[in-house]
Amino acid sequence: MDKPVIVTVDDDPGVSRSVARDLRRRYSHSYRVVRAETAAQGMESLRELRLRGDDVAIVLADYRMPQMNGVEFLEQAMDLYPHARRVLLTAYADTDAAIQAINVVDLDHYMLKPWDPPEENLYPVLDAQLDAWQRTDRRETGELRVVGARWSARSYEVRDFLSRNQVPYRWLLADAPEGAELLAAAGETDATPPADRLPVVVTAEGATLTAPSVPELAAAVGLSTTPATDFYDLVVIGGGPGGLGAAVYGASEGLRTVLVEQHASGGQAGQSSRIENYLGFPDGLSGAQLADRARRQALKFGAELLTARQVTSLEVRGRARVIGFADGGSIAAHTVILATGVAYRRLTAPGLDGFIGSGCYYGAALTEAPECAGSDVYVVGAANSAGQCAVHLSKYARTVHLLVRGDSLERSMSHYLIEQISGLRNIEVHTGTEITAAEGDDHLERLVLKGPDGERTVDTERLFVFIGAEPFTDWLGDTVERDARGFVLTGPDLTSGGNRPRNWPLQREPYHLETNVPGVFAAGDVRADSIKRVASAVGEGAMAVALVHRYLEKA
């Protein structure tokens, strides 16, 4: 096979030759280097490579080029080579512009000129990018198609599940010609099938699923839903940052580890359009990217990841901790880490519940972003998740209205995000404002807002809600102690000690992640008084594994 290609584009002939020279010196044995001195020439080279069937590993573009800057060039290159790593070459004076541009194109890295010596400033960066590219699954896959109704809540749930689990699919409207043809081919005789028969999912192999349940859909697209055995060293419940951190550290340290997730890896953080303050990622990354990397890392170390399994009970049976599932099955383990995270609280405005999934979305709902093109959308919330969603939607919507109940964003949102929002002309922040009602027929059409100037009605078809947090812990019953809001109590916060044995040295434990049940720990947002940050959740997941080892040594 031909060598994969590294493409470099720079309008300065001297710089262009220098970049190509340094690239060939290091990578010519495994890669072919193609250089261009204009953006147009670079796009022509990419088109020719695509037509010939060549694979492109990295596209490296200079930021300042006439006619088309480097960000615009990389954005167009994505259409031809979506898996190629994208690197921007920029001068120090353009650093701020490069960082802002990360929100436009999913940039993998930016580098400063000059890069001498390349052994320190160029090769380590490109080595990491090439390693990431080589580990990416670039195989052409069959097309999964979803046919549904535009304002169907169930159709939205299916699309959201597929997107969050990194399953590519094609969305077709049932009342459009192509969608109707596919429905007919799938055996649907009605021109417009009733709501209970939508969506229809057609797999790459041609199998048809009519209004599938989440477990049916998960099994059809190849997600693991069945445990390999019935007993483990460690069961991690919840696939957010805390759970993924626990799975990575548990499996990497030799524990037979299984992670159980009801929806998708990443949890609430996985829905974030951009995380820019996570250590080690100066250019930022999306929640989906972070979740996918953590998931692959856990699998590499041998952890099992079960998706679409709902946990309904936790029982203590001697030295075993037994996890029960909604379908009647169960698994057992020596230890359990609770990392179920939290969900966004529901708004209580009259009429709003009827539009969930048909105009009202709790969380970022990234599948809906392209549908916001040219329209006015509303976001409720004052913390980072709401701010990140507003910034992301601003790339599509005509205007993004951020509704804040308090008098400012400073109390709850990071400073860097507040600055981003203030610099975007199509984001309007409305403080002291709440939603009092929602109106519409089969989907959201209007909101009634109450603000400093009284009530007013606004037209909109999309509302994204990020308010507060509610833990998913009702299933624990009386087994594990919780506070009045449902968060799991750990360490010195415990009130009764539960069934903890006398020799359980709770008071001497520095990390305070153990619950009242020996062998059961809590990590991340589900834990009472935890710091609601991605990094702290990951750290707690890792620390919980250290406590698991101590427990197993003493047991």
Side-chain angles (χ1 to χ4, degrees):
M1 294 180 63
D2 291 338
K3 295 178 182 178
V5 180
I6 298 174
V7 175
T8 173
V9 185
D10 197 302
D11 68 305
D12 184 321
V15 174
S16 178
R17 287 192 294 269
S18 295
V19 174
R21 178 199 63 214
D22 287 342
L23 292 175
R24 292 188 178 109
R25 182 185 303 164
R26 175 83 165 198
Y27 303 108
S28 60
H29 62 288
S30 300
Y31 297 87
R32 185 157 56 95
V33 177
V34 172
R35 76 177 182 93
E37 294 182 2
T38 67
Q41 187 182 88
M43 289 307 304
E44 184 61 30
S45 296
L46 287 171
R47 292 189 189 98
E48 291 178 2
L49 292 167
R50 183 67 178 169
L51 288 173
R52 289 204 301 262
D54 291 326
D55 213 349
V56 173
I58 292 179
V59 181
L60 194 155
D62 182 54
Y63 178 66
R64 291 199 177 191
M65 293 190 295
Q67 286 82 48
M68 182 189 299
N69 68 36
V71 174
E72 295 167 338
F73 177 85
L74 291 172
E75 196 169 17
Q76 291 194 23
M78 287 173 64
D79 295 333
L80 296 171
Y81 285 98
H83 299 297
R85 309 299 288 183
R86 294 170 290 280
V87 178
L88 192 67
L89 194 61
T90 178
Y92 182 80
D94 296 323
T95 300
D96 289 342
I99 293 173
Q100 292 175 9
I102 290 168
N103 293 316
V104 179
V105 58
D106 194 9
L107 198 65
D108 293 302
H109 203 88
Y110 74 87
M111 297 192 333
L112 295 177
K113 296 189 290 186
W115 59 88
D116 290 329
E119 289 76 14
E120 295 181 11
N121 299 324
L122 178 65
Y123 299 149
V125 170
L126 297 187
D127 286 348
Q129 296 302 322
L130 289 170
D131 178 65
W133 176 79
Q134 289 166 353
R135 288 186 283 104
T136 301
D137 186 359
R138 304 183 302 279
R139 294 171 298 177
E140 293 291 334
T141 59
E143 188 175 53
L144 181 79
R145 288 159 291 179
V146 179
V147 186
R150 183 185 182 193
W151 296 113
S152 161
R154 182 62 189 138
S155 294
Y156 162 71
E157 290 171 5
V158 166
R159 294 164 57 209
D160 185 61
F161 178 83
L162 294 172
S163 297
R164 292 180 61 189
N165 281 284
Q166 308 290 310
V167 179
Y169 69 93
R170 188 176 176 205
W171 165 241
L172 300 170
L173 291 173
D175 55 3
E178 190 173 359
E181 290 174 6
L182 190 59
L183 288 175
E188 287 289 347
T189 56
D190 293 338
T192 305
D196 61 354
R197 293 192 61 79
L198 290 176
V200 171
V201 178
V202 182
T203 69
E205 294 75 27
T208 300
L209 291 82
T210 300
S213 66
V214 168
E216 289 172 340
L217 185 60
V221 299
L223 297 175
S224 178
T225 59
T226 305
T229 184
D230 58 3
F231 198 92
Y232 295 85
D233 294 319
L234 171 63
V235 174
V236 181
I237 304 176
L244 288 168
V248 167
Y249 281 91
S252 67
E253 294 176 13
L255 298 176
R256 290 172 298 168
T257 302
V258 60
L259 183 150
V260 183
E261 168 56 47
Q262 183 175 350
H263 299 293
S265 298
Q268 202 177 74
Q271 296 177 276
S272 176
S273 56
R274 202 78 198 170
I275 300 173
E276 297 186 73
N277 58 352
Y278 188 66
L279 183 67
F281 293 90
D283 303 330
L285 76 171
S286 70
Q289 288 174 319
L290 181 62
D292 181 59
R293 294 181 186 191
R295 179 188 60 81
R296 288 190 283 112
Q297 196 172 14
L299 292 172
K300 181 184 78 170
F301 287 123
E304 286 183 48
L305 270 62
L306 304 183
T307 305
R309 296 300 297 267
Q310 182 180 355
V311 176
T312 56
S313 64
L314 168 62
E315 296 181 44
V316 177
R317 297 181 188 172
R319 296 175 64 179
R321 309 292 175 260
V322 181
I323 301 300
F325 296 124
D327 61 5
S330 65
I331 55 176
H334 292 301
T335 58
V336 175
I337 295 178
L338 304 174
T340 50
V342 295
Y344 293 112
R345 274 205 320 266
R346 294 292 178 91
L347 282 174
T348 58
L352 205 54
D353 280 353
F355 300 127
I356 296 175
S358 57
C360 174
Y361 308 96
Y362 286 86
L366 299 181
T367 57
E368 296 301 304
E371 302 297 323
C372 298
S375 62
D376 294 332
V377 301
Y378 286 74
V379 178
V380 180
N384 281 8
S385 296
Q388 289 161 349
C389 180
V391 170
H392 181 68
L393 293 175
S394 70
K395 292 181 275 186
Y396 302 90
R398 177 174 59 193
T399 307
V400 178
H401 298 271
L402 183 58
L403 307 181
V404 180
R405 186 173 60 179
D407 56 4
S408 72
L409 295 172
E410 278 72 13
R411 296 179 184 175
S412 52
M413 189 177 292
S414 294
H415 178 69
Y416 81 91
L417 202 48
I418 295 174
E419 286 195 327
Q420 278 190 27
I421 289 172
S422 65
L424 293 171
R425 295 182 178 179
N426 65 333
I427 296 183
E428 297 182 10
V429 180
H430 306 271
T431 57
T433 303
E434 298 181 73
I435 297 174
T436 59
E439 302 170 352
D441 292 326
D442 64 336
H443 67 280
L444 177 66
E445 296 179 70
R446 292 172 298 278
L447 292 172
V448 180
L449 308 180
K450 182 179 180 181
D453 299 324
E455 281 197 347
R456 60 192 175 97
T457 300
V458 297
D459 294 329
T460 186
E461 293 184 324
R462 296 250 176 358
L463 170 68
F464 302 85
V465 182
F466 303 82
I467 57 166
E470 293 181 342
F472 175 59
T473 56
D474 287 347
W475 60 276
L476 289 169
D478 297 328
T479 304
V480 176
E481 285 191 22
R482 296 172 287 148
D483 67 12
R485 296 181 298 165
F487 290 91
V488 174
L489 292 170
T490 58
D493 293 329
L494 290 167
T495 56
S496 69
N499 56 3
R500 188 174 67 255
R502 289 184 179 180
N503 63 350
W504 186 245
L506 182 67
Q507 68 278 9
R508 296 196 299 272
E509 181 50 64
Y511 302 116
H512 308 314
L513 302 180
E514 67 284 84
T515 70
N516 63 296
V517 180
V520 178
F521 306 85
D525 291 357
V526 73
R527 192 176 65 83
D529 296 325
S530 65
I531 298 173
K532 303 300 188 279
R533 287 282 191 249
V534 174
S536 60
V538 173
E540 289 190 6
M543 286 297 99
V545 171
L547 301 184
V548 164
H549 280 293
R550 291 193 198 180
Y551 172 81
L552 293 175
E553 289 170 0
K554 292 186 298 182

